Amino acid sequence: MTRTELVDETIDWFAANARPLPWRAPGTSPWAVLVSEFMLQQTQAARVIPRWEAFVERWPSPADLARAGDADVLRAWDRLGYPRRALWLRRCAVEIVEHHDGRVPATREDLLALPGIGPYTAAAVASFAFGVPEAVVDTNVRRVLARVEEGSEEPWAPNAARDLAAYRALVPAPPPDDATAVRRANRWNAAAMELGAIVCTARTPACERCPVAERCAWRRAGYPAGPTAGVPRRKQARYEGSDREMRGRILHELRATTTAVPLDALHDAVVRGGHDERFARALASLEADALVVVDDGAASLPS
């Protein structure tokens, strides 16, 4: 299988096996695509779907979200996680209204200038919303490229130069006037990401369902273990009993009301029995992140 065949086989597989994620539906606006990319950061698609659907129904354009208050946005974000993303998204909407006439910009450079948007998100929005054939490389794509092309079980660490070189080895930059090549590059972006997400997974790859298994250098080499094989994984800190859990409890209480809550009452509502020193730490960190306002002995969501 040549590299051209590898790309085309992956695209064909995607056409038949892609998950019906709502932000992939024809006619989805660039704004709705951008919202999905914010929500999908470090969050599984299944958790994002209901929040995304409610969010874009309530705020279907950047202007709609720009007029909203931070408190309303945080309530709509609910327990999606990493709530600072909600505030960055609203600030992004404000910038789009003030500097782009309310329309999501189409170029990677303009997207990168917006709050909360980094290189990956800029490339993804340009490709998925506007059909600009940027090189979209996330962890899933790195893992596919590392295994298929380099015979390595594990993806390399994010590196812009290496990401682009590995991507372009498979998908050279198409001429702007070649609509077929441009469309193919954009389809590869979605297909490679999907392949890494549901087949070429980190721990239990389903090689028997992989459309490019015969090309895979890692498979042909007998699945050699990566350099971290046998090395105990760094355990993620337990959520239960953590400051993160306490932050979540505080936000949950404040989302449920439109008035400021006295700190003593807030402590009693979120601390289950006795005194918990996590409360002060969590509240201070939420205030530092501009997710909570503390004033005159009471706490509330930002206005």
Side-chain angles (χ1 to χ4, degrees), residues 74 87 250-251 254 266 282-283 286-294 298-302:
L74 287 169
L87 300 187
I250 292 171
L251 285 175
L254 297 181
L266 183 60
L283 186 64
L286 288 168
E287 188 177 15
D289 290 341
L291 293 168
V292 167
V293 174
V294 178
S300 64
L301 296 179

mmCIF file of all heavy atoms in Angstrom, residues 74 87 250-251 254 266 282-283 286-294 298-302:
data_model
loop_
_atom_site.group_PDB
_atom_site.id
_atom_site.type_symbol
_atom_site.label_atom_id
_atom_site.label_comp_id
_atom_site.label_asym_id
_atom_site.label_seq_id
_atom_site.Cartn_x
_atom_site.Cartn_y
_atom_site.Cartn_z
ATOM 1 N N LEU A 74 -21.340 30.260 32.388
ATOM 2 C CA LEU A 74 -20.869 29.231 33.314
ATOM 3 C C LEU A 74 -21.997 28.283 33.706
ATOM 4 O O LEU A 74 -21.767 27.081 33.880
ATOM 5 C CB LEU A 74 -20.267 29.882 34.557
ATOM 6 C CG LEU A 74 -18.893 30.537 34.356
ATOM 7 C CD1 LEU A 74 -18.511 31.372 35.564
ATOM 8 C CD2 LEU A 74 -17.825 29.478 34.073
ATOM 9 N N LEU A 87 -15.330 30.878 29.791
ATOM 10 C CA LEU A 87 -15.039 32.312 29.784
ATOM 11 C C LEU A 87 -14.168 32.694 28.598
ATOM 12 O O LEU A 87 -14.360 33.760 27.994
ATOM 13 C CB LEU A 87 -14.352 32.707 31.096
ATOM 14 C CG LEU A 87 -15.156 32.449 32.372
ATOM 15 C CD1 LEU A 87 -14.440 33.036 33.572
ATOM 16 C CD2 LEU A 87 -16.557 33.027 32.265
ATOM 17 N N ILE A 250 -18.373 24.001 44.813
ATOM 18 C CA ILE A 250 -18.634 25.436 44.979
ATOM 19 C C ILE A 250 -19.337 25.989 43.743
ATOM 20 O O ILE A 250 -20.341 26.708 43.857
ATOM 21 C CB ILE A 250 -17.308 26.191 45.244
ATOM 22 C CG1 ILE A 250 -16.752 25.803 46.616
ATOM 23 C CG2 ILE A 250 -17.517 27.702 45.145
ATOM 24 C CD1 ILE A 250 -15.353 26.326 46.892
ATOM 25 N N LEU A 251 -18.824 25.660 42.558
ATOM 26 C CA LEU A 251 -19.457 26.151 41.337
ATOM 27 C C LEU A 251 -20.877 25.624 41.202
ATOM 28 O O LEU A 251 -21.775 26.339 40.746
ATOM 29 C CB LEU A 251 -18.623 25.756 40.114
ATOM 30 C CG LEU A 251 -17.336 26.553 39.897
ATOM 31 C CD1 LEU A 251 -16.555 25.973 38.719
ATOM 32 C CD2 LEU A 251 -17.646 28.025 39.649
ATOM 33 N N LEU A 254 -23.118 27.763 43.328
ATOM 34 C CA LEU A 254 -23.288 29.128 42.825
ATOM 35 C C LEU A 254 -24.065 29.161 41.512
ATOM 36 O O LEU A 254 -24.742 30.155 41.221
ATOM 37 C CB LEU A 254 -21.916 29.797 42.659
ATOM 38 C CG LEU A 254 -21.125 29.983 43.963
ATOM 39 C CD1 LEU A 254 -19.797 30.673 43.682
ATOM 40 C CD2 LEU A 254 -21.935 30.783 44.988
ATOM 41 N N LEU A 266 -22.111 29.072 52.188
ATOM 42 C CA LEU A 266 -21.508 28.312 51.091
ATOM 43 C C LEU A 266 -20.640 27.189 51.637
ATOM 44 O O LEU A 266 -20.686 26.046 51.142
ATOM 45 C CB LEU A 266 -20.673 29.250 50.210
ATOM 46 C CG LEU A 266 -20.019 28.641 48.984
ATOM 47 C CD1 LEU A 266 -21.057 28.053 48.032
ATOM 48 C CD2 LEU A 266 -19.166 29.687 48.249
ATOM 49 N N ALA A 282 -9.825 26.107 47.453
ATOM 50 C CA ALA A 282 -10.618 26.023 46.219
ATOM 51 C C ALA A 282 -11.259 27.364 45.893
ATOM 52 O O ALA A 282 -11.281 27.800 44.738
ATOM 53 C CB ALA A 282 -11.678 24.940 46.358
ATOM 54 N N LEU A 283 -11.784 28.029 46.914
ATOM 55 C CA LEU A 283 -12.424 29.321 46.681
ATOM 56 C C LEU A 283 -11.408 30.336 46.183
ATOM 57 O O LEU A 283 -11.680 31.101 45.245
ATOM 58 C CB LEU A 283 -13.083 29.809 47.974
ATOM 59 C CG LEU A 283 -13.909 31.090 47.855
ATOM 60 C CD1 LEU A 283 -15.101 30.869 46.929
ATOM 61 C CD2 LEU A 283 -14.376 31.552 49.235
ATOM 62 N N LEU A 286 -10.610 29.606 42.535
ATOM 63 C CA LEU A 286 -11.701 30.009 41.651
ATOM 64 C C LEU A 286 -11.732 31.518 41.472
ATOM 65 O O LEU A 286 -11.990 32.023 40.376
ATOM 66 C CB LEU A 286 -13.034 29.530 42.227
ATOM 67 C CG LEU A 286 -13.300 28.021 42.149
ATOM 68 C CD1 LEU A 286 -14.497 27.643 43.010
ATOM 69 C CD2 LEU A 286 -13.532 27.585 40.698
ATOM 70 N N GLU A 287 -11.447 32.235 42.539
ATOM 71 C CA GLU A 287 -11.401 33.694 42.447
ATOM 72 C C GLU A 287 -10.238 34.131 41.553
ATOM 73 O O GLU A 287 -10.380 35.031 40.721
ATOM 74 C CB GLU A 287 -11.270 34.298 43.839
ATOM 75 C CG GLU A 287 -11.413 35.805 43.861
ATOM 76 C CD GLU A 287 -11.356 36.371 45.275
ATOM 77 O OE1 GLU A 287 -10.931 35.649 46.203
ATOM 78 O OE2 GLU A 287 -11.730 37.550 45.453
ATOM 79 N N ALA A 288 -9.079 33.464 41.696
ATOM 80 C CA ALA A 288 -7.920 33.796 40.865
ATOM 81 C C ALA A 288 -8.181 33.516 39.395
ATOM 82 O O ALA A 288 -7.661 34.214 38.508
ATOM 83 C CB ALA A 288 -6.698 33.010 41.344
ATOM 84 N N ASP A 289 -9.008 32.512 39.116
ATOM 85 C CA ASP A 289 -9.349 32.166 37.733
ATOM 86 C C ASP A 289 -10.517 32.987 37.180
ATOM 87 O O ASP A 289 -10.963 32.737 36.054
ATOM 88 C CB ASP A 289 -9.703 30.675 37.633
ATOM 89 C CG ASP A 289 -8.492 29.777 37.817
ATOM 90 O OD1 ASP A 289 -7.360 30.267 37.660
ATOM 91 O OD2 ASP A 289 -8.686 28.577 38.120
ATOM 92 N N ALA A 290 -10.995 33.937 37.980
ATOM 93 C CA ALA A 290 -12.120 34.797 37.583
ATOM 94 C C ALA A 290 -13.406 34.011 37.361
ATOM 95 O O ALA A 290 -14.282 34.437 36.627
ATOM 96 C CB ALA A 290 -11.782 35.611 36.333
ATOM 97 N N LEU A 291 -13.513 32.863 38.007
ATOM 98 C CA LEU A 291 -14.731 32.054 37.916
ATOM 99 C C LEU A 291 -15.702 32.366 39.044
ATOM 100 O O LEU A 291 -16.888 32.024 38.955
ATOM 101 C CB LEU A 291 -14.368 30.568 37.944
ATOM 102 C CG LEU A 291 -13.584 30.058 36.729
ATOM 103 C CD1 LEU A 291 -13.032 28.661 37.006
ATOM 104 C CD2 LEU A 291 -14.456 30.054 35.496
ATOM 105 N N VAL A 292 -15.209 32.991 40.094
ATOM 106 C CA VAL A 292 -16.027 33.350 41.254
ATOM 107 C C VAL A 292 -15.611 34.752 41.702
ATOM 108 O O VAL A 292 -14.440 35.119 41.643
ATOM 109 C CB VAL A 292 -15.835 32.336 42.400
ATOM 110 C CG1 VAL A 292 -16.422 32.847 43.702
ATOM 111 C CG2 VAL A 292 -16.473 30.992 42.036
ATOM 112 N N VAL A 293 -16.590 35.515 42.151
ATOM 113 C CA VAL A 293 -16.341 36.837 42.724
ATOM 114 C C VAL A 293 -16.656 36.771 44.212
ATOM 115 O O VAL A 293 -17.744 36.313 44.602
ATOM 116 C CB VAL A 293 -17.221 37.915 42.050
ATOM 117 C CG1 VAL A 293 -17.059 39.255 42.749
ATOM 118 C CG2 VAL A 293 -16.864 38.032 40.567
ATOM 119 N N VAL A 294 -15.705 37.179 45.042
ATOM 120 C CA VAL A 294 -15.905 37.242 46.501
ATOM 121 C C VAL A 294 -15.918 38.710 46.905
ATOM 122 O O VAL A 294 -14.956 39.447 46.643
ATOM 123 C CB VAL A 294 -14.802 36.477 47.251
ATOM 124 C CG1 VAL A 294 -15.009 36.602 48.755
ATOM 125 C CG2 VAL A 294 -14.789 35.010 46.843
ATOM 126 N N ALA A 298 -19.350 37.390 50.762
ATOM 127 C CA ALA A 298 -20.246 36.512 49.996
ATOM 128 C C ALA A 298 -19.607 36.192 48.639
ATOM 129 O O ALA A 298 -18.747 36.924 48.147
ATOM 130 C CB ALA A 298 -21.614 37.160 49.808
ATOM 131 N N ALA A 299 -20.036 35.099 48.053
ATOM 132 C CA ALA A 299 -19.475 34.657 46.775
ATOM 133 C C ALA A 299 -20.583 34.545 45.737
ATOM 134 O O ALA A 299 -21.728 34.208 46.051
ATOM 135 C CB ALA A 299 -18.772 33.320 46.930
ATOM 136 N N SER A 300 -20.220 34.803 44.497
ATOM 137 C CA SER A 300 -21.169 34.677 43.390
ATOM 138 C C SER A 300 -20.402 34.386 42.116
ATOM 139 O O SER A 300 -19.169 34.536 42.063
ATOM 140 C CB SER A 300 -21.977 35.977 43.212
ATOM 141 O OG SER A 300 -21.112 37.041 42.844
ATOM 142 N N LEU A 301 -21.121 33.969 41.086
ATOM 143 C CA LEU A 301 -20.517 33.866 39.779
ATOM 144 C C LEU A 301 -20.256 35.267 39.238
ATOM 145 O O LEU A 301 -20.934 36.219 39.628
ATOM 146 C CB LEU A 301 -21.434 33.109 38.819
ATOM 147 C CG LEU A 301 -21.731 31.645 39.147
ATOM 148 C CD1 LEU A 301 -22.690 31.074 38.091
ATOM 149 C CD2 LEU A 301 -20.465 30.815 39.204
ATOM 150 N N PRO A 302 -19.271 35.427 38.352
ATOM 151 C CA PRO A 302 -19.048 36.755 37.761
ATOM 152 C C PRO A 302 -20.253 37.190 36.945
ATOM 153 O O PRO A 302 -20.967 36.364 36.374
ATOM 154 C CB PRO A 302 -17.812 36.550 36.890
ATOM 155 C CG PRO A 302 -17.797 35.085 36.584
ATOM 156 C CD PRO A 302 -18.371 34.410 37.787
#
